Amino acid sequence: MADPVIIGGVSVDPEDPCATWQALYAVRLQFVAGQRTEEIEVRSPVSNRRVKFGAANIAALDQELARLAKACDEKNGKPRTRFAKSVRFRPTY
């Protein structure tokens, strides 16, 4: 187990994508509501990633949330999300 990190005042195991997602989502809601302006940082020893989020960088936070949601689904054995094939109809003249 890696050393816990503090995200939004909550101690989280960075190797648990589900707990990390929950904590980051709570922080995102605070950003959107305008209640949070400081920078937070998440270090993941699993992927050797260091990501910083600020109030102006919601897109990066959303990208990290999507990555964590996918990792959480894999951890819990949920099937991958698949997209249906799209069919394009061409008009005949």
Side-chain angles (χ1 to χ4, degrees):
M1 183 174 153
D3 292 336
V5 294
I6 306 295
I7 301 174
V10 178
S11 180
V12 178
D13 177 8
E15 293 180 7
D16 181 2
C18 301
T20 306
W21 181 89
Q22 265 186 327
L24 278 180
Y25 189 76
V27 169
R28 185 192 186 285
L29 291 177
Q30 291 175 347
F31 281 156
V32 171
Q35 298 172 352
R36 190 142 190 149
T37 56
E38 76 263 14
E39 220 173 60
I40 62 171
E41 183 177 323
V42 177
R43 294 182 189 185
S44 176
V46 176
S47 63
N48 292 328
R49 253 176 100 141
R50 184 175 172 177
V51 184
K52 289 185 180 181
F53 307 106
N57 200 356
I58 295 291
L61 181 56
D62 287 340
Q63 186 178 22
E64 184 66 10
L65 282 168
R67 186 189 72 75
L68 288 168
K70 181 180 175 185
C72 182
D73 287 347
E74 289 173 3
K75 176 185 173 187
N76 292 325
K78 290 184 181 177
R80 287 188 323 145
T81 304
R82 295 181 183 234
F83 297 97
K85 286 185 177 180
S86 62
V87 178
R88 187 174 182 173
F89 293 99
R90 294 183 183 178
T92 57
Y93 297 102

